[in-house]
Structure formats: C-alpha cells, structure tokens
Amino acid sequence: MKKTRKRLGDILVEFGLITEEKLNAAIKEKGPEQKLGDALLERGLITEQQLIEVLEFQLGIPHVNLYQYPFDQQLFSLISKDMAKRNIIIPLKKDADRLIIAMADPMDYYLIKDLELVTGFQIEPAIATKDDILRSINKYYGMDEGLEELFSENEMDVEVSKDKIVDQDSPIVKLVNQILTNATTSRASDIHLDPHETKLLIRYRVDGVLRTERTLPKHMQSMLTARIKIMANLDITEHRIPQDGRIKINVGYHPLDLRVSTLPTIYGEKIVLRLLDLGTALIDLNNLGFNSLNLKRFLNMLEKPTGIILITGPTGSGKSSTLYAALNRINNEEVNIITIEDPVEYQLEGINQIQVNANVGMTFAAGLRSILRQDPNIIMVGEIRDKETADIAVRASLTGHLVLSTLHTNDSLGSITRLQDMGVEPFLVASSISGIVSQRLVRKVCRDCIEFHPPSKREIEIFAKRGLKIEKVARGKGCPSCDMTGYKGRIALQEVLVVDEGLRRPIMDGEPFSKLRDIAIKNKTIFLIDDGLLKIKQGLTTTEEVLRVAVPD
C-alpha cells in the first residue's frame, strides 16, 4: 500500500508548533506564488530551524549543519558563486557520480534538474538554513585568488594607485565588497576598521556586541582606507581631520545605505561604517516589543494634536526606529509632517525631511524656525541638543503642533530635569510635554537553541523585590543559527511616562525627583527594569541582558 505524504501544515500542527487557526490565517493571507513555509517564517510563527526539522521528517532528506563543515574547495568550481547565491545552495561532497548539495529549498526539483545538467552529476539534496548557506558562500567562495596578491605584497611594494582602488576587478575592491557582504549576512549594524601598530582589525557589531571578523596585515590599511573614502566621496589626501560621508550600494538584491565616519588615530585612520538597511526601514509599532499597556499609552500620545513626545536613551538604543515607526503610524495625506535630522537616516514617503548642515548655518534651531512658517501639523526634531532648540520645540508644541524628538538621558523622569538644566522654565516643561518613552535594546534568546532552566537564587530575589515570581528562565545553548552565542536579534525594553495633571503641578512647583517617581509609580508606570523582568518571564531575553541596561532599585 502506497504511503500518503502528509502536508506541511498538518505536520506543523501535529508537532504542536502552530495552531490550526494561525495556520489557516497564514494560508489565507499568503500570495498565490508564496510557499507556506516562507509565509510562516515571514510572520514569525515558526523558526527556520523548526521548519527544517519538519521538512526533514516530511521528505526524509537529511539536515546538515554547516558551522565548521569540512568543505571540499575543489567542488566550488562546479557551481559558480553567482549561481550558488542566487539559488541559496552550496556543494558539500562528491561520492562517485553523486554530488551532495545543501539547499534552503530541497523541494525545488527544477533547480535539481538544472544542476544535474550543469555539473554532470546526480544531485542529492540536503537541507540547511538560508543564513547558514549564505554565510558559508561568503566565507568559502569569498577568498578570490586575487586577494592572495594583497596578502603576499610587502609594505615597500604597496602604492595606493587610483586604478587599484577604482577598478571593479582589482583585489582591494573585491575585498571591500566581501567585507560589506559578510556584514550584511551576519546582520551587523556597524563595521569597524581598527588600525593597530602591526595589523588592521575588521570588527562587526552584531546585536549590539562587537566581535573581530578578520585580521589583515598592516600594509593593506592605506588601500582599504582609500577605497572606502572614494566610495563615500571623501578627500583621500586628508588624514589629519575627521570626515563624514555616505555610501549607497546594493548588496545581494537589496539596497543598503552606509554612514561613514573617519577618525585620525596614532596608528592611522579608524573608520566606522553604520549599516542602514533600507529594506527594513518602516517598522510597524506593533513589532517593536511594546508591552500592551505601554503601547496603548504611546498611541494615545500620538493621537493628541499638540504636545511634545520625547524618546530617550543612549546612542544605539533604537530611538530612531521608534521615531520612524511612530511617524509612519501617523503619516497620512491629511497632515503636513516635516522633520529636521542629522543625518536623515531613512527616506520616508510623503514626509518632508531636512538635513542639518552646520557649515551653512542650517542648525536644528534655524531649521525649526523655518519649519514653523511651513504650516506643519507634526514636526520631528532629530535631537534636542541645546536650549535654543528646546525653547523653539516647546513654543511649537504650545502653538498647536505635535512635536516628536529624542534626548540623551538615562530614564524618562531624567528628561524632565535634563530640560530644566538646559534652562527651560519648569512651567514650560510641564505644560508642553505630553509623554516620554525611555528605551534600551537587549539581545533576544535564540529561538532555535532555547532551553529553560530553574532560576538562580539571585534571580528569584530580583523578581521578588519588584513583586514578581519567576519559575523558569530561558537561555540559548548556542547553535550555528546564532553563531554559538545563544542570542539572535534584539528586542526593546520601554518605559512610557505619561505626563498628566497629577505630574504637571509637582513639575511646576520644582518638586524633587523622588516625589515625581512616587507619582509615576502611583500611575502604574512600567519602569525599564519591570519591562525587562516581564520579558524574561516570557522567555524573550535573559537576566544578564536586562541587568546590563537597567539597574534594579
């Protein structure tokens, strides 16, 4: 009797990975061409690892782990890098007339037939994750023979010639492209080129943590620096002062915007590239990890026609993402939204964005004055840095505008004292601010290698102090999907302070910080530490991560 093969959706429900309702909703919403597995991944209903395990069970195709896999480099000549990247495949090993290939989609039978024609072998598919395959392609296909010249050149032989750093086929251009591609595949937010006395380190910041990607010989530093400067339209002859620029390129098939900053150090210029993925610019507020009460309070602030909404936190705490998500939420053709930013990170459709340029006198304050003559409904100021900008923002909110901005402070209540320190009168602070969101980013536990453990004595104490109980805590064991770190992706912790009548009077009267905090507690404000502990309970992050950014009282 022929064995009937179960459908993917049924197996997922049977394994308890998804409910019948969610499965039916995903089937209804997905496009006619989209595969069910891709639709479920896109909605975050299952992880890639879970999908692979189910496919392995359903199709009887083995799952292969490419982390530190002993690749046979000679097989790479059978399949070009372009074909491997386009189809997300990589050859693993040869066995007589059979070629075993890792594929992200082992059910693509047309591709298997094409590969049999191209290679002359009988193809046997194995399953691997998309990220795993792309990372391996970049790592192992990446080292072109041309790059070997660079490594073997002596310091004395190196000349920074224009041809070397502009010609697309030159080794240095290939090396820079490879560094950028690897950074994108690794989901890095920044690339650091750190000059040392005898070497040059290439470091990536992934999920907020820096790690060394590769070490290059010192003699390659000048060529690498010159190549990046040419891409960013900077002066390659100037090494004594810091410079800022921008690069727009396509990596793979999606556009990438890079902010470039150079800084002279004693061992040469340090370069930092901030990667802005234009494909993920418009984030939905619902996907930012807001607690349901905090989200409701934040949306109420955005619905008000006037007042200042401040988003606070240190550099790299996701303030811009929250600002853009908020603007995207309230952007429609009935309102005139104007922003002034330094720099404009993402271009938003239907919003007028102004770039600060101090060299020609276009400061935040000067731009803000001009904006007020442009009949705006909503104004976004990139950052309140001085008294003049703060004064104009306050005046704008009191004359019928909704103003969104950021401020560098540690918590929401600290923003009130920060504005007063800048010289803004307490009665103006009280009457103009409608709410403050303080934010931090923490790493998420990798969903592919998550394990639950009983909490430690210290963890039980921390939770008990905040009136909470904890029964189990999540930890990532470490897997290829998260580069053996146990963490993959980041989530925001938020503290949303609503400035209502109960808070306005004490602010006007210049009451001490402790009194304002007591009122905030009475208003059921969820502080950063509380939001963090709730996310630990949900198994989203770890206690170490929360304590890294939020201090318990």
Side-chain angles (χ1 to χ4, degrees):
M1 202 174 107
K2 194 184 170 197
K3 190 182 171 190
T4 55
R5 187 169 273 168
K6 288 186 181 177
R7 290 179 310 171
L8 176 66
D10 297 334
I11 298 173
L12 288 168
V13 172
E14 209 174 285
F15 271 53
L17 296 174
I18 187 171
T19 63
E20 194 87 50
E21 296 78 44
K22 283 184 176 170
L23 174 67
N24 292 335
I27 292 169
K28 238 183 237 173
E29 288 168 25
K30 79 179 182 73
E33 297 295 310
Q34 196 179 26
K35 292 180 178 136
L36 177 62
D38 291 342
L40 296 171
L41 283 176
E42 207 175 85
R43 287 162 181 75
L45 297 171
I46 57 169
T47 70
E48 205 170 358
Q49 200 69 31
Q50 288 168 339
L51 178 63
I52 280 173
E53 283 164 15
V54 168
L55 283 174
E56 189 179 6
F57 176 81
Q58 185 194 25
L59 305 171
I61 293 173
H63 165 218
V64 63
N65 190 336
L66 302 182
Y67 187 75
Q68 294 178 336
Y69 187 88
F71 285 97
D72 180 352
Q73 305 266 352
Q74 291 172 333
L75 297 179
F76 293 162
S77 58
L78 296 171
I79 296 168
S80 70
K81 183 176 181 179
D82 189 49
M83 188 179 189
K85 276 191 128 167
R86 197 171 55 244
N87 298 299
I88 314 174
I89 54 173
I90 192 164
L92 300 175
K93 58 183 176 190
K94 195 170 68 173
D95 183 7
D97 64 338
R98 295 179 307 135
L99 181 65
I100 299 164
I101 287 186
M103 304 175 74
D105 180 8
M107 294 162 87
D108 191 339
Y109 300 114
Y110 292 110
L111 175 60
I112 291 171
K113 289 285 169 234
D114 280 352
L115 288 169
E116 286 180 341
L117 285 171
V118 169
T119 62
F121 285 91
Q122 188 188 332
I123 301 297
E124 269 198 23
I127 314 174
T129 67
K130 193 174 170 181
D131 283 352
D132 219 0
I133 295 174
L134 287 173
R135 202 179 295 128
S136 301
I137 291 170
N138 289 326
K139 193 170 177 182
Y140 296 103
Y141 267 94
M143 286 308 286
D144 281 286
E145 288 140 37
L147 295 182
E148 285 165 20
E149 296 169 32
L150 282 176
F151 284 98
S152 60
E153 279 177 350
N154 291 321
E155 194 151 354
M156 303 303 290
D157 303 337
V158 175
E159 264 183 59
V160 182
S161 68
K162 186 95 177 187
D163 297 343
K164 260 187 184 174
I165 51 182
V166 175
D167 177 14
Q168 287 302 314
D169 290 325
S170 82
I172 198 70
V173 171
K174 286 181 178 174
L175 177 61
V176 171
N177 291 347
Q178 194 190 107
I179 289 169
L180 297 179
T181 309
N182 287 357
T184 316
T185 313
S186 305
R187 309 180 324 277
S189 59
D190 301 84
I191 304 170
H192 288 237
L193 277 71
D194 281 347
H196 289 242
E197 191 174 2
T198 57
K199 61 191 177 197
L200 176 71
L201 291 186
I202 309 290
R203 301 200 291 164
Y204 292 167
R205 187 180 290 282
V206 179
D207 292 337
V209 178
L210 272 171
R211 64 155 195 251
T212 301
E213 176 66 15
R214 60 167 70 175
T215 305
L216 297 174
K218 184 72 176 171
H219 69 256
M220 290 168 68
Q221 185 180 319
S222 52
M223 284 191 291
L224 214 54
T225 304
R227 172 62 191 156
I228 291 168
K229 281 185 168 183
I230 277 185
M231 289 172 81
N233 290 323
L234 300 178
D235 182 355
I236 65 168
T237 60
E238 182 55 80
H239 309 288
R240 299 159 303 172
I241 57 169
Q243 295 185 69
D244 288 308
R246 214 164 181 160
I247 302 172
K248 275 196 174 173
I249 52 164
N250 281 329
V251 170
Y253 298 101
H254 66 280
L256 198 66
D257 201 355
L258 301 159
R259 269 177 27 208
V260 182
S261 168
T262 74
L263 185 73
T265 72
I266 54 169
Y267 295 125
E269 286 175 281
K270 174 178 165 68
I271 297 179
V272 176
L273 298 97
R274 162 67 58 93
L275 281 75
L276 303 168
D277 188 344
L278 299 176
T280 58
L282 295 181
I283 306 164
D284 188 342
L285 268 181
N286 297 317
N287 299 339
L288 287 179
F290 272 96
N291 171 300
S292 54
L293 177 63
N294 279 345
L295 182 62
K296 190 177 162 195
R297 287 176 169 176
F298 188 41
L299 291 176
N300 285 344
M301 292 175 201
L302 291 173
E303 281 162 15
K304 289 181 181 171
T306 63
I308 296 179
I309 299 170
L310 289 175
I311 300 182
T312 75
T315 308
S317 57
K319 298 191 297 292
S320 297
S321 296
T322 305
L323 264 186
Y324 282 117
L327 283 179
N328 198 37
R329 179 73 173 232
I330 54 184
N331 181 18
N332 61 57
E333 59 178 27
E334 294 165 12
V335 291
N336 177 19
I337 302 177
I338 306 181
T339 76
I340 178 154
E341 306 166 60
D342 180 23
V344 173
E345 288 190 8
Y346 298 114
Q347 277 101 45
L348 298 179
E349 189 70 37
I351 291 177
N352 310 287
Q353 293 171 279
I354 302 167
Q355 171 87 38
V356 165
N357 186 347
N359 298 336
V360 293
M362 173 58 95
T363 59
F364 275 120
L368 200 42
R369 272 196 210 93
S370 308
I371 287 172
L372 290 171
R373 294 194 282 274
Q374 289 280 319
D375 181 33
N377 300 90
I378 298 159
I379 299 165
M380 193 265 264
V381 184
E383 190 188 332
I384 293 177
R385 292 179 182 168
D386 51 43
K387 183 181 187 301
E388 195 180 4
T389 312
D391 280 340
I392 302 165
V394 165
R395 211 172 310 137
S397 75
L398 294 175
T399 52
H401 304 93
L402 179 64
V403 180
L404 284 85
S405 190
T406 70
L407 201 62
H408 285 263
T409 57
N410 285 334
D411 55 14
S412 53
L413 286 165
S415 310
I416 293 167
T417 47
R418 174 89 181 92
L419 286 171
Q420 290 175 358
D421 289 345
M422 276 184 187
V424 182
E425 293 292 340
F427 73 91
L428 287 174
V429 173
S431 50
S432 62
I433 291 181
S434 56
I436 302 163
V437 178
S438 184
Q439 186 169 305
R440 296 288 186 286
L441 290 178
V442 291
R443 291 182 293 168
K444 281 165 76 174
V445 174
C446 173
R447 282 177 64 185
D448 290 330
C449 59
I450 189 169
E451 292 181 334
F452 289 95
H453 300 272
S456 67
K457 194 177 167 203
R458 167 99 175 109
E459 283 171 325
I460 293 168
E461 281 171 15
I462 291 167
F463 274 82
K465 258 187 190 169
R466 309 298 298 185
L468 296 166
K469 278 185 180 170
I470 181 82
E471 280 154 24
K472 56 181 183 178
V473 290
R475 293 258 185 290
K477 190 174 67 179
C479 66
S481 179
C482 61
D483 268 346
M484 311 311 280
T485 59
Y487 296 102
K488 188 175 181 183
R490 287 192 288 176
I491 193 168
L493 307 184
Q494 290 101 350
E495 174 176 306
V496 178
L497 179 76
V498 179
V499 181
D500 57 6
E501 285 311 311
L503 257 179
R504 283 202 175 96
R505 174 57 58 193
I507 294 170
M508 281 187 202
D509 295 345
E511 293 280 5
F513 186 86
S514 55
K515 178 79 186 286
L516 300 180
R517 190 175 171 82
D518 290 342
I519 296 165
I521 292 167
K522 212 164 32 176
N523 289 350
K524 293 191 167 56
T525 301
I526 298 169
F527 293 100
L528 276 173
I529 184 75
D530 300 320
D531 195 34
L533 297 182
L534 291 171
K535 281 173 177 145
I536 295 168
K537 277 190 80 139
Q538 291 169 292
L540 295 171
T541 188
T542 61
T543 316
E544 294 82 0
E545 278 295 295
V546 170
L547 296 182
R548 191 168 57 82
V549 297
V551 185
D553 299 336

